[in-house]
Amino acid sequence: MSRSIFSSSLRLLSSFALVSLAGCAGADDPEAAPSAFVSELSATDTSAILALVNYPGTDLAVLDVGANLDARAARNIVAYRVGPDGIEPSIDDLAFVDLSELDAVPYVGDAAFRNLQAYGLAHPPPGGEDVEGVHFAGWESEAVVWGVNHVDVAVLDGMLDGRAAQGLVAHRPLASVTAMGPVAYVGTSALTHLRSAAPTWWNAMRGTATTPASLAGTFDSVAFDDVTAHVAIAIANGASSAELTGHGVTATPAARIIAARPFTTLAQVAAVSGVGTATMNALATYARSGTWGAEPSSTCIPSFESAVAPHLADLLFMSESDRAIELVSFPGAGVSAPTASSVRALVGAPSSSTTETRSVDDFFVAFEPSSDAADPDAALLVEAAIRAQLTNLICVKIHNTSDRAVVPVYLLGRTPCGDLVGLRSIAIET
């Protein structure tokens, strides 16, 4: 779902929420008429009120006791904001976009606006921050600052490049996200991953002032310790579709996880339709791999390609019809040894296709010169580069039911940077 469509859906949902709340008010709402006081409010007042009522820290106690609202108005404001699931922060939260929307909440009228104006100006919620091109809402900044200052270094190390994690820990306590920007290896990628952990850390922060809440447990028969659970939630909240599918989550549950964000517990992830043991196991494996949040290296793939590419024009892959050989690469997909099934998923082969694992030597034996003028040492040079730079080599044939004569053949291995690279050609088998 696109951002614009999703925003429109939430706005439509908000109208239903207001109708529902109004139905509960009955005929005894003395503030049912539009507020006259709203027209007297300045732009500063308006911003202060909206910031206050949209801040997830503005709970029932703040509105009822701190701002001295009618208890019914306070309850209705919170109920509207947290959305149907009753969880905050979560994907269905509803922000008030203007004061007319707030005025439509039952029992909110002139008296409520006067009290909200006074309290909002005297107790402004934290402002947002923009750091390295990443925007943090005020509550996200609070949560990330708390999390970075409190969680175990192992949690940060699982989310970020290890050097960024160590740098942040060395600079504790940090007063703002802005203060994290200058820390070495903390850039756009690291900050995006930290922001994805904000819902989890927000709830942990609200539950205790000293230590994060434990998220450990068994979900869909897969056990998570606390560190792995924290990282897995960050992955569920922040990973792209390509990152999820590249680490063993199949396409449908990956799409549904992304659509249901954000999550604060793994129980919420496990409850997503289509998520089961296989998906939770993939998340656990990804979380334990230490690659989530690591800054991608730009050296391994280019060095492999520079060693191999110049010789490929001199080679063909021998079968019933000799074919050219091409380079393939899958950045970040080499965190574990490749298997026939993982290769099939990476290359996007149809689910009906079958795989056949062959000897790596078979792939090299199939090299032949592309012409009489070809470099006679090309095959040896390519094989030497592959064996020197890659580990866990695998040769996989993929048989498609729609055309069993044309068989893609892959020779892949892992780089030291955690990528999967290698060669691809076609075997003709009639």
Side-chain angles (χ1 to χ4, degrees), residues 74-75 83 88 108 140 142 154 200 223 247 263 294-295 314 321 378 421:
R75 285 195 299 270
E88 187 178 33
V108 172
E140 290 174 324
E142 271 191 301
T200 299
H247 289 84
F263 305 98
E295 296 294 332
D314 292 319
S321 176
V421 301

Side-chain angles (χ1 to χ4, degrees), residues 17 21 50-60 63 74-85 87-88 90 92-96 105:
L21 289 173
L50 289 175
L52 176 65
V53 296
N54 285 328
Y55 174 53
T58 303
D59 56 18
L60 186 59
L63 292 172
R75 285 195 299 270
N76 288 337
I77 289 172
V78 172
Y80 172 91
R81 189 182 69 218
V82 303
D85 69 359
I87 300 171
E88 187 178 33
S90 72
D92 71 344
D93 293 351
L94 298 170
F96 293 96
V105 172

